[in-house]
Each structure stands twice: as structure tokens, then as C-alpha cells.
Amino acid sequence: MPNSALPVSRRQLLGTAAAVAALAATPVGAQTQPPLRIAMSLNDIPRLWAGPDAGFEGLRFGGYLVFDALTLWDMGRRDKASGLVPGLATNWRVDPADKKRWIFTLRQGVKFHDGSDFDADALIWNLESVFNAQAPQFHAPRVGLIRSRLSSVASYAKIDANTVAIVTTEPNGMFIYETSFLMIASPKQWQELGGDWQRFAERPSGTGPYRVTAFAARERVELEAFAGYWDKARVPKTQRTVLLPIGDANARVAALRSGQVDMIETVPPDAIESLRRANMKVDTNLYPHVWAWRLNVQPDSPFHDVRVRKAANLAIDRAGMVHLLAGSAEAAKGKVPPSSPWFGSPSFDIKYDVEAAKKLMAEAGYGPNRRCAVKAIIASGGGGQMLPLPMNEYVQENLRAIFMDVTFEVVDFGTIIGMMRAGSRAPQQAGAHAINIAIPTIEPTVGWVIYDSALVNPRGVNWGYYNSPAIDKALADIRLGFTEPEQNAAMAKLHTALVDEAAALFVVHDLNPRAYSARVEGFVQAQNWFQDYTTVRMR
């Protein structure tokens, strides 16, 4: 058995049992409407301190349910990719005299869950909590989860009670996307909890559509609809929602089948048809996501050689991978599919061609008598990871055919996120040549600047220290685009360079299956990592 194939641990099973038992014990009989019970694919509750851990699934549940940002995602349609819409900012503009200066008009009349007001002072307080190490609300563990997504911020200032200016390090037309990742927390609640972010995470206060009513680490979070939410159209239709961390996929399926939960994340492909036969709804949609290996391209890594990177991409039987995933994925030809306006016109065709891959490996000096040793860090589960163990074993088998011998270091999702942020030069990652973390392609910042040579630890998450003049130039051009046509053209040039340089091992795009019972009505699966549960009604 490959060394990545680890059985579900006793601790995982006990934790799952405890979570389901706690849910079963919930006194819901008095409720006129049953709660919506969602099983996350995480092993713990994301930190609810307006900068959640656990990647984008953490943001999905520990961010946008409880908190708002200046800009939000339009998640109300399934037939088109989500775009940004006004959130706590009603509008924004770039100062015509200084393209580094953005002026935000703030939404008036917004209340935090604790009843205090959101205004310019609250926004500045939140910015200080991230960017001013001397501020009392600055907390390094929390900041580490936020700043990599806000790499452009240089300074900020209050203009008046409803207006704030934010200055970027350079002209950056893409900065508006960064603002969607700054969750706004209540200064009053933080102060009343003794200025303790850990306590705040258990009793959070944001301006989002749900407020937290109960919290138990590793077990559950209970939410209720926030009647005072500023967007009356998004006050949740279900009064009460319960989030349960159930990291094991089979345990999630069993909980859905038994009626202990109503909706599950990340459905294992081999369960899809049987769930449908059991009258469960299994929903899929296009998803801004690529399941990939991020590569260490430093001189002592085999992936420093573009021939090795290209060979690895040619060695993967993606049709076989899609079959393994029961059709819940699409073969990747890069970070985005060819239908995307960002695909461009790469000359390197990512396909399955073992003979071409072997030829490239031979040119790089590898073969039957000099095999290529590769160590990859992979996760046992987590948001966006799909089925990481069998998928990585499949990749391992494919690469063996081109003289590449892969060994795995298997860690939990929280650990791998920390390793990604630390970068491949961190001592605990010595000898690692790849890290398998799904890459978001939702917008031009988070999933794309991981190749910016300037955004390595601690400024960003360029894990493999990728350094390419062509890609840095393309990223610079993107930042100079302030209109959609300019940005699309620049993104297409960037993607062309990424594919032609085989900057990652691109494998498949996730179709993100979710399953839920017939009792769940009104859910719209958006083409987005994030989802809107406020539309759900329980029968």
C-alpha cells in the first residue's frame, strides 16, 4: 500500500461520534421549524475571529456566515461565475489624482450582532488589528491568516464617519478583490471580552446574516438568523443553523443517510449514485478551483527544471482520474478551463502523453538507472482537497511510469495550511518538492499571486519560491488594469505563461458535489468557493 493510504484514525471516529451524538441531543422539539444541520469536511470549527483558518472552507463557514466584508460575492445564481457586489461599502472609486488611493463609502445603519454601530471608526479599528503591530487588537496568529490575502495595503485613513481611504503599495486595479477577504469584527465585543481574540472566537460578533448562539470546539456551532441584518433579502429563511465538523467523508455520508444532518460537503464520488437512489439531492456545478501540486522550484528541487515540470504534467491520466472521481471533476489544461476568458493561448498542451514525458525526463538526465525522487506534502482531508489520499496515490502511480518516485508526508488540513504559509524554505519542510493544496481561481489575487516572486513568506504564499520574469511582468500588467477588458487580457497573458512554464502540476477541476436531503429547499449552488445558505428553507 502506498504510504499515503492512511486509515481513518480512532480519534477521528470518536470525534465524529461525539459530534453526531451532541447533535442528536439538541433540544429541537420546541422549534417551529427544524434547523438546517450542515456537516463540514473539516475536523474542527474554523476560528470565528474574523480571519478564520482552514482555508476557503473555513472562510465559507467561519467567515461569510457571521461576518461581512467591504465587498461581497453575488452567490444567488448558478448559471454564471460570481462577481463582487457592494457589502459594507456601498461604492468605491480610485482617486483620479492618485491611482494608489481607493475611497470607500460605507453603508450606513449597519449594526453588529452586539448592537453596536459599524462606521469608519470600526473599519479603521479592524485595519489596525491587521496592519499595526503596536495596536492592542493586533494578534499575530490571527493576522497571519489575513495578511496574505491583503498584500496590497500600505496605509489607510478616516475621511469622515462614513468614508475611508485605503492606499495600496502600488497602482493595483485588482485591489478591490482583496477587500472581500477583510472580515469586519465588532470592536465593542472584543473589548467586552477583555481584548482576548481566543474568547472572541467563541463569542463572536460581526455584521453577517447569522449570529452565533452556542460554540463547542471540535463539536458544533449553533447559529440563528440575525433579524437585524442590513440586507433584508438575505435574512436567513431558516431560523437556526448548526455546523458540525465531520472530517471523515464516510462518516458524513452515514450522518446524512441516518437523518442526523441535512447537508454534507465534499461528497465521496463512490457515494453519489447510492445517495441519489436514496432520494438525496446531489448537486454539482462549475467551480473556480484546480486540484494541483504547488511546486518547489528552488535549485535543489527536481522541479527547478521546466522539463521535469512539463513531464509530470504529461504523465497524468486525467480521464482516468475523472473516472476515479465518478465524473465529479473535469480534466485540467491549466489553472482555468479553455472556456474561461482568462485561458489565453498557451503553446504547451497539457494532455496524457507518457512517451513525450519520458523523453523530457531523459533530456533532464533521468531514466531507469537514475530515477527522480520527489517528496510531496499532502493533506488527509479539508476544504477543496476532494479525495486527497486516493487521488495522490493515483498521481504517484502515474509518475512512477516516468521514472519519478514519490513519497508523501501526510498531515491534517490545518497543518498543511500553516506549512503553505511558511514556505518551502521553512526547516520543518526540508526536502519537500511539492505541496498539494487546491488552488482557487475565483479572482485575480488569491490563487494567482502565489507565483509572484515578491510575495514569499512572510508577505505572501508563494510556497515554492517561484521566480519568473514573464509571470512577474504579467502580474504587474494585471495590477495596471482598472477595467474588465484590460484585466481579462492581462489575465489571459498570465495564464498563458503559467501553462507554458508548467508552473504547477495541474490535474483536475472540482465540480464540488454537495448532498442534501429532500427536506432542504431553496439552496442555489453558485459557481463559487463560497455559498449562500440564507435561501434555504427546511420542510
Side-chain angles (χ1 to χ4, degrees):
M1 176 182 295
N3 57 354
S4 66
L6 302 182
V8 177
S9 70
R10 173 178 170 79
R11 181 184 179 200
Q12 279 183 298
L13 291 175
L14 289 175
T16 297
V20 173
L23 180 61
T26 302
V28 298
Q31 302 288 331
T32 57
Q33 182 190 42
L36 169 63
R37 301 161 300 175
I38 303 174
M40 302 178 290
S41 67
L42 302 171
N43 288 315
D44 200 357
I45 305 298
R47 288 176 177 168
L48 301 169
W49 57 11
D53 53 3
F56 270 25
E57 187 172 5
L59 269 169
R60 185 184 306 141
F61 292 111
Y64 289 111
L65 298 191
V66 179
F67 303 97
D68 288 319
L70 292 176
T71 54
L72 297 173
W73 292 97
D74 179 2
M75 296 176 285
R77 297 178 59 172
R78 61 173 294 120
D79 60 343
K80 62 181 292 188
S82 300
L84 290 179
V85 293
L88 294 180
T90 56
N91 59 69
W92 49 87
R93 61 187 176 87
V94 177
D95 186 338
D98 181 359
K99 287 195 173 182
K100 294 188 293 184
R101 187 170 182 260
W102 293 70
I103 300 170
F104 293 88
T105 302
L106 306 184
R107 191 176 299 278
Q108 299 182 44
V110 176
K111 296 286 187 180
F112 287 102
H113 301 149
D114 56 42
S116 60
D117 293 323
F118 166 75
D119 55 17
D121 290 330
L123 175 56
I124 294 295
W125 186 93
N126 276 269
L127 287 163
E128 290 279 275
S129 80
V130 177
F131 296 103
N132 182 2
Q134 306 308 313
Q137 65 268 34
F138 185 92
H139 180 54
R142 173 178 173 270
V143 169
L145 298 164
I146 301 173
R147 286 192 68 163
S148 64
R149 297 189 176 113
L150 292 161
S151 59
S152 297
V153 176
S155 64
Y156 37 84
K158 173 183 173 181
I159 297 175
D160 58 39
N162 302 307
T163 315
V164 167
I166 301 178
V167 177
T168 57
T169 55
E170 59 186 340
N172 183 3
M174 301 300 183
F175 171 66
I176 196 62
Y177 289 99
E178 295 185 25
T179 65
S180 69
F181 296 111
L182 179 64
M183 307 283 108
I184 305 301
S186 165
K188 177 185 175 183
Q189 182 78 344
W190 180 84
Q191 292 160 359
E192 291 186 349
L193 293 173
D196 186 330
W197 280 110
Q198 298 291 350
R199 292 182 65 196
F200 184 95
E202 297 180 4
R203 296 175 57 188
S205 175
T207 65
Y210 298 86
R211 60 183 292 270
V212 174
T213 58
F215 171 90
R218 294 190 176 276
E219 289 187 9
R220 62 201 281 114
V221 170
E222 296 188 22
L223 309 168
E224 72 175 13
F226 180 38
Y229 189 54
W230 55 267
D231 185 350
K232 299 307 178 186
R234 291 192 64 237
V235 173
K237 304 297 188 295
T238 297
Q239 178 64 25
R240 186 162 159 265
T241 297
V242 183
L243 306 178
L244 293 107
I246 304 180
D248 178 61
N250 293 325
R252 289 195 301 278
V253 171
L256 180 63
R257 286 183 180 279
S258 65
Q260 294 173 310
V261 300
D262 307 296
M263 175 179 283
I264 64 174
E265 296 274 300
T266 316
V267 182
D270 59 2
I272 290 176
E273 287 307 314
S274 63
L275 285 171
R276 284 174 171 155
R277 289 196 298 269
N279 200 34
M280 302 293 179
K281 171 72 173 179
V282 180
D283 205 352
T284 61
N285 202 354
L286 294 172
Y287 198 38
H289 165 287
V290 62
W291 193 92
W293 282 10
R294 308 180 192 207
L295 304 176
N296 178 350
V297 296
Q298 296 174 87
D300 59 350
S301 168
F303 292 121
H304 179 73
D305 190 326
V306 67
R307 294 170 297 187
V308 176
R309 301 198 301 269
K310 287 185 173 182
N313 273 283
L314 293 172
I316 306 303
D317 179 5
R318 292 168 181 79
M321 181 73 83
V322 170
H323 179 74
L324 172 71
L325 298 171
S328 61
E330 290 185 356
K333 284 190 168 290
K335 281 177 66 71
V336 295
S339 59
S340 169
W342 297 348
F343 187 79
S345 52
S347 58
F348 176 52
D349 184 14
I350 295 177
K351 59 185 178 181
Y352 184 42
D353 190 337
V354 174
E355 292 308 311
K358 286 181 177 179
K359 181 179 179 182
L360 285 167
M361 289 295 283
E363 291 175 4
Y366 298 102
N369 299 320
R370 183 176 179 257
R371 300 184 67 85
C372 178
V374 167
K375 177 183 175 183
I377 301 168
I378 67 174
S380 55
Q385 297 303 97
M386 304 176 72
L387 294 181
L389 300 184
M391 291 174 73
N392 274 295
E393 290 167 4
Y394 190 93
V395 170
Q396 181 187 52
E397 189 65 27
N398 280 179
L399 294 179
R400 185 178 292 119
I402 64 163
F403 322 120
M404 194 176 291
D405 297 325
V406 179
T407 57
F408 296 129
E409 179 180 351
V410 185
V411 298
D412 64 49
F413 191 62
T415 298
I416 203 170
I417 291 292
M419 297 172 86
M420 176 190 71
R421 295 184 189 284
S424 59
R425 290 180 183 171
Q428 69 269 32
Q429 299 180 62
H433 305 118
I435 190 168
N436 171 221
I437 302 180
I439 304 174
T441 58
I442 185 173
E443 41 79 26
T445 59
V446 174
W448 301 81
V449 297
I450 61 175
Y451 305 102
D452 188 327
S453 64
L455 295 182
V456 298
N457 177 273
R459 285 197 61 206
V461 289
N462 181 346
W463 177 84
Y465 290 79
Y466 205 87
N467 190 339
S468 162
I471 287 173
D472 283 348
K473 173 65 166 59
L475 286 165
D477 290 344
I478 288 168
R479 294 175 179 124
L480 292 174
F482 286 83
T483 68
E484 185 175 353
E486 289 173 331
Q487 292 171 350
N488 284 345
M491 287 295 294
K493 290 181 180 178
L494 171 61
H495 187 260
T496 295
L498 289 170
V499 174
D500 284 344
E501 295 185 15
L505 177 55
F506 304 109
V507 183
V508 291
H509 302 296
D510 189 5
L511 296 183
N512 194 29
R514 283 181 175 84
Y516 44 93
S517 76
R519 299 174 64 206
V520 175
E521 295 182 335
F523 177 67
V524 177
Q525 180 144 313
Q527 293 184 31
N528 201 310
W529 276 77
F530 313 119
Q531 299 294 323
D532 187 359
Y533 302 95
T534 66
T535 59
V536 172
R537 293 183 183 274
M538 296 297 296
R539 294 174 56 185

